[in-house]
Amino acid sequence: MSTKLSVAVVGIGKIARDQHLPAIAASPAFELAATVSRREGVAGVANFGSIEELLDSPLKVDAVALCTPPQGRHGLARLALDRGRHVMLEKPPGATVSEVRDLSALAEKRGVTLFATWHSRFAPAVEAARAWLAGRALRSVRIVWKEDVRHWHPGQEWIWEPGGLGVFDPGINALSIATRILPEPFFLTSGSLSYPANREAPIAASLVFATGAGLPIAAEFDWRQTGPQSWDIEVATDAGILRLREGGSRFEVDGVETECGPEAEYPRLYDRFARLIRDGARSDVDLAPLRHVADAFLASRRVTVEPFD
């Protein structure tokens, strides 16, 4: 008999096929028991048309990984948690902060694990950067996260709708790293969001943050980048300039790079999920990155730019 935890993947889109399914296939802790998709599932694995059909079936499922767009995910997660299943939430964990807080309370009530994932925190150089910054005097932080939406999100209209986050879909990855590696909390002081005239979500954002001690943090997010993509965080300190490059994959100080190991973000997510479940159904729900995005929508100036198709 298998000692692995059985997991169902709900929403078989690009992120599920590119990341979740390969990570589960390689996992020593999980096995794929089912998929939920109105379209095609995975060959050789039971597929259900809805999460209700899955939960009503006799199939043994210990956990579900929700890979659907954030809009509407709250109801799916509540159904799974209420039926005693552990739940992994693809980032962003929900369309609003309040939704995720509700899920966290329900997971605690039902005695199951809720894991709100931030995959970029599991990039190979993030923990090395966090350790290097600890105890050093920080002078400034600069975040540049620019990519081509047509390449990374082809045909995904949900990202342009309310709750889809727009450019914050990738930008929240940068915020998830910053909130992990910086030793102090930080707060939005000003911002500008650029909305295409024909869209309901921003295509670019320029944000200024500061810590309580006054450390300046500038962030630039843009979905119109062509050519080389930029996923970089630079921290000036009293001991040199730290650069996290390529989304947290590479780490250097004053141009000298340190080897931090191979890419394995999603395998590490599933390892973490398994540990949470087996350590007494603990949850891991850090809302700091989502709160920063909510603050940006709340307190930034809106700028209308050319339509985007």
Side-chain angles (χ1 to χ4, degrees):
M1 179 182 293
S2 174
T3 59
K4 291 187 176 183
L5 295 160
S6 56
V7 62
V9 176
V10 181
I12 306 300
K14 180 174 172 57
I15 194 67
R17 292 193 180 278
D18 288 354
Q19 301 292 350
H20 286 263
L21 297 179
I24 293 167
S27 174
F30 286 98
E31 61 185 0
L32 183 64
T35 59
V36 176
S37 176
R38 293 192 183 94
R39 287 176 264 186
E40 63 178 7
V42 174
V45 176
N47 183 64
F48 297 85
S50 71
I51 196 168
E52 292 90 343
E53 290 180 19
L54 168 68
L55 297 174
D56 288 339
S57 78
L59 186 68
K60 179 183 178 293
V61 173
D62 298 307
V64 298
L66 292 179
C67 303
T68 60
Q71 306 99 318
R73 193 186 294 164
H74 175 249
L76 302 176
R78 277 197 66 91
L79 283 169
L81 293 170
D82 212 29
R83 300 282 286 272
R85 270 58 167 198
H86 308 289
V87 173
M88 173 190 279
L89 301 172
E90 175 59 56
K91 69 87 193 172
T96 70
V97 173
S98 296
E99 286 183 354
V100 187
R101 287 177 63 89
D102 176 66
L103 296 177
S104 183
L106 181 59
E108 182 176 3
K109 181 178 179 180
R110 293 290 181 253
V112 293
T113 291
L114 178 67
F115 183 22
T117 66
W118 301 109
H119 66 80
S120 291
R121 286 183 175 176
F122 291 80
V126 170
E127 289 305 306
R130 182 172 186 260
W132 191 88
L133 290 172
R136 289 186 163 88
L138 277 57
R139 294 172 176 164
S140 66
V141 181
R142 182 170 177 260
I143 301 170
V144 178
W145 224 257
K146 299 181 178 181
E147 64 182 43
D148 183 353
V149 65
R150 289 189 173 95
H151 175 78
W152 298 104
H153 294 278
Q156 295 181 7
E157 289 299 315
W158 61 266
I159 55 176
W160 297 106
E161 297 299 324
L165 299 192
V167 74
F168 288 110
D169 180 80
I172 205 169
N173 294 335
L175 294 170
S176 75
I177 294 174
T179 52
R180 177 64 182 165
I181 67 172
L182 298 179
E184 294 181 72
F186 52 91
F187 312 92
L188 184 72
T189 60
S190 65
S192 175
L193 307 184
S194 298
Y195 285 75
N198 60 338
R199 298 292 184 173
E200 297 298 323
I203 197 169
S206 180
L207 306 176
V208 178
F209 302 91
T211 66
L215 174 71
I217 302 167
E220 295 289 335
F221 305 140
D222 202 314
W223 247 352
R224 298 166 294 192
Q225 181 96 325
T226 57
Q229 311 286 275
S230 304
W231 302 296
D232 304 313
I233 298 177
E234 180 179 287
V235 185
T237 79
D238 61 340
I241 297 177
L242 176 149
R243 292 184 177 87
L244 264 181
R245 302 175 58 195
E246 297 181 14
S249 298
R250 300 173 64 184
F251 163 51
E252 62 182 47
V253 176
D254 290 341
V256 179
E257 186 169 349
T258 298
E259 175 59 44
C260 295
E263 289 280 358
E265 291 181 14
Y266 279 82
R268 290 178 183 135
L269 283 181
Y270 277 91
D271 287 346
R272 173 67 173 158
F273 192 28
R275 287 196 303 272
L276 290 169
I277 293 170
R278 288 175 170 158
D279 288 350
R282 295 188 298 120
S283 289
D284 181 350
V285 184
D286 181 7
L287 287 173
L290 189 59
R291 284 200 304 268
H292 283 305
V293 172
D295 287 350
F297 280 108
L298 188 66
S300 295
R301 183 170 58 94
R302 178 176 178 134
V303 177
T304 301
V305 297
E306 62 275 7
F308 181 86
D309 294 304

